[in-house]
Amino acid sequence: MLELLSENRSFGGLHRRYRHPSSELNGPATLAVYLPPQALAGERVPALYWLSGLTCTDENVMQKGGAHRLAAELGLALVAPDTSPRGAEVPTDPEGGWDLGQGAGFYVDATQAPWDRHYRMHSYVVEELPALLEAELPLAPARSISGHSMGGHGALVAALRHPGRYRSVSAFAPICHPAACPWGRKAFGAYLGPDPRAWAGWDATLLIPDAAERLPLLVDQGSADPFLDTQLRPADLAAAAEAAGHPLQLRLQEGYDHSYFFIASFIDDHLRHHAAALRAPG
Ligand SMILES: N[C@@H](CCC(=O)N[C@@H](CS)C(=O)NCC(=O)O)C(=O)O
């Protein structure tokens, strides 16, 4: 089912790009996997799923995230899906924006036409992709999840909606409260419909009060991120976590912006956080 598109040796492991037919996305999907040296030596290794942000593909984090060296040392696989379904028949923003449609799937399962035929990134990332990869690659069924911006939020929602499925979760500059910001309102309005009551189950800040599992959240946010106050709203997440007693380590990193320079600067902390959870017994 996995068609190999390319392969590069990296830090003793392999960076591979694959294509496969996806039932959730109703068409072909492209993704990247980093297999650490331990996987090539016959070990089944745990996996960190990485969800990228608006306008990205699998390539951004693999080329600019700076994660391979430590993932190789820690024996972690990295899995980077695309950020939306793709293709000529897949609808995209009628206004031509980059914050809706292709490259902007927001990791939800759309309920509204025309989006609902392809835009099921949540079920793809949480269910279909791990089942496929664990069947075809030397991956253990031990998973953690992280991501950036739209993908940081997607990671938080994946963990909050699926207690027990992830050993750990973290995010870089997540869109913390999409129901209360322009990017989120536009995307959720299209994918989930105009009634904000339909959005609550897809919004990390709104999921926290009733979360069935209090999995600690590690969040890094740059203080010089141009999207901080308008789109990302980490204070909303912090207030919800505080009120619910949900463990949150929110680190404001002085002078860092929204780019992959910020991510690469702190990716090691996140990899160690996830490796500790993934390598723990049970
Ligand atoms: N500069 C972007 C704005 C969107 C943006 O900042 N995207 C972030 C995620 S929200 C990103 O990671 N961009 C790709 C990259 O930096 O490699 C554009 O206008 O296309």
Side-chain angles (χ1 to χ4, degrees):
M1 289 265 276
L2 284 175
E3 176 196 352
L4 185 64
L5 299 178
S6 64
E7 182 176 270
N8 317 90
R9 179 71 63 163
S10 182
F11 293 92
L14 286 174
H15 168 254
R16 285 184 177 156
R17 299 188 77 221
Y18 292 107
R19 181 165 48 214
H20 71 96
S22 164
S23 54
E24 293 290 356
L25 305 182
N26 197 15
T30 304
L31 69 138
V33 178
Y34 177 69
L35 291 172
Q38 295 83 342
L40 309 186
E43 198 181 314
R44 291 187 87 80
V45 295
L48 174 64
Y49 285 73
W50 175 270
L51 307 183
S52 287
L54 293 164
T55 75
C56 291
T57 67
D58 61 282
E59 297 184 281
N60 302 71
V61 69
M62 289 298 185
Q63 295 181 5
K64 301 199 284 189
H68 290 187
R69 184 191 56 77
L70 189 57
E73 192 180 302
L74 296 170
L76 282 186
L78 305 173
V79 177
D82 203 347
T83 53
S84 75
R86 305 274 179 181
E89 73 293 347
V90 173
T92 196
D93 186 0
E95 293 163 7
W98 48 263
D99 51 3
L100 178 68
Q102 295 190 36
F106 268 82
Y107 307 100
V108 299
D109 289 342
T111 57
Q112 307 295 302
W115 310 101
D116 55 348
R117 288 197 61 229
H118 297 280
Y119 283 79
R120 294 183 52 82
M121 285 300 291
H122 177 77
S123 291
Y124 172 69
V125 165
V126 171
E127 310 280 355
E128 182 180 3
L129 189 56
L132 173 67
L133 297 182
E134 287 161 26
E136 299 208 12
L137 297 176
L139 300 188
R143 314 167 198 101
S144 291
I145 192 158
S146 185
H148 174 223
S149 196
M150 170 182 78
H153 179 259
L156 299 177
V157 167
L160 287 164
R161 284 177 69 105
H162 299 276
R165 175 157 273 263
Y166 297 100
R167 299 274 180 92
S168 51
V169 59
S170 74
F172 288 83
I175 300 169
C176 290
H177 191 182
C181 79
W183 281 340
R185 288 203 191 108
K186 176 175 174 179
F188 282 16
Y191 299 142
L192 306 170
D195 183 351
R197 282 173 300 184
W199 306 352
W202 298 101
D203 183 306
T205 292
L206 303 178
L207 281 166
I208 282 192
D210 297 322
E213 180 191 33
R214 296 288 174 207
L215 193 64
L217 313 179
L218 169 62
V219 175
D220 271 320
Q221 172 63 59
S223 72
D225 187 323
F227 304 119
L228 204 164
D229 294 325
T230 48
Q231 305 283 8
L232 306 178
R233 303 176 68 101
D236 295 6
L237 184 74
E242 170 79 24
H246 196 113
L248 165 67
Q249 191 183 4
L250 173 59
R251 311 191 307 182
L252 194 66
Q253 305 291 3
E254 191 56 40
Y256 286 86
D257 61 20
H258 197 64
S259 69
Y260 269 87
F261 293 109
F262 161 56
I263 295 168
S265 298
F266 298 99
I267 194 73
D268 281 7
D269 291 355
H270 289 242
L271 291 170
R272 291 191 196 283
H273 171 78
H274 294 298
L278 287 164
R279 292 277 176 198

